[in-house]
Amino acid sequence: MTLKIAVDPDSGTAPYEQLRTQISELARSGALPVGYKLPTVRGFAEELGLAANTVAKAYRALEADGVIETRGRNGTFVAAAGDAAERHAATAAREYAEQARRLGMSRARALELARDAVRAVYED
């Protein structure tokens, strides 16, 4: 399997974010299966014409999101991201609900604000 990533240097989006987004989408869609070994930071940087730090930054963000996992000298692999992503989202939702309650917001208003935020993000 060949990893098909395209980074547009003329885009308003930072190269590391383009890389992070594409790998995340490929992993979540199943196009990159769980356990797929990603290229080394240095090798991938050379292949894409990017600085190694750019690829490393994308890999760190992906690891923080639970999309990939580094296994020491064995390399970096696509993780079973569905569970990790859902745990992250559930934690963020709970933190939001707790904060809204502390601020004295009604349940209905908190839900309305959450729906508005989700609608705004997903309709971009």
Side-chain angles (χ1 to χ4, degrees), residues 1 4 11 32-33 36 40 42 51 54 56 65 105 112-113 118 120:
M1 166 182 280
K4 295 180 182 172
S11 171
L32 284 180
Y36 177 83
T40 65
R42 220 174 279 170
T54 300
D65 291 344
M105 217 169 282
E112 183 181 335
L113 290 171
V118 168

Side-chain angles (χ1 to χ4, degrees), residues 32-49:
L32 284 180
V34 171
Y36 177 83
K37 186 174 182 177
L38 292 168
T40 65
V41 168
R42 220 174 279 170
F44 208 17
E46 287 177 18
E47 181 182 325
L48 296 171

Side-chain angles (χ1 to χ4, degrees), residues 16-35:
Y16 90 90
E17 180 61 23
Q18 291 179 53
L19 182 58
R20 187 205 63 76
T21 300
Q22 290 178 59
I23 292 174
S24 182
E25 288 172 357
L26 290 169
R28 292 188 199 290
S29 73
L32 284 180
V34 171

Side-chain angles (χ1 to χ4, degrees), residues 86-103:
E86 286 194 22
R87 279 194 306 275
H88 266 343
T91 298
R94 180 167 185 89
E95 289 170 359
Y96 165 75
E98 289 170 352
Q99 173 119 16
R101 186 173 186 188
R102 277 193 304 273
L103 293 170

Side-chain angles (χ1 to χ4, degrees), residues 43-71:
F44 208 17
E46 287 177 18
E47 181 182 325
L48 296 171
L50 298 172
N53 285 341
T54 300
V55 175
K57 185 175 183 179
Y59 276 18
R60 282 191 304 273
L62 287 162
E63 192 160 18
D65 291 344
V67 176
I68 65 174
E69 59 188 5
T70 300
R71 300 179 190 159

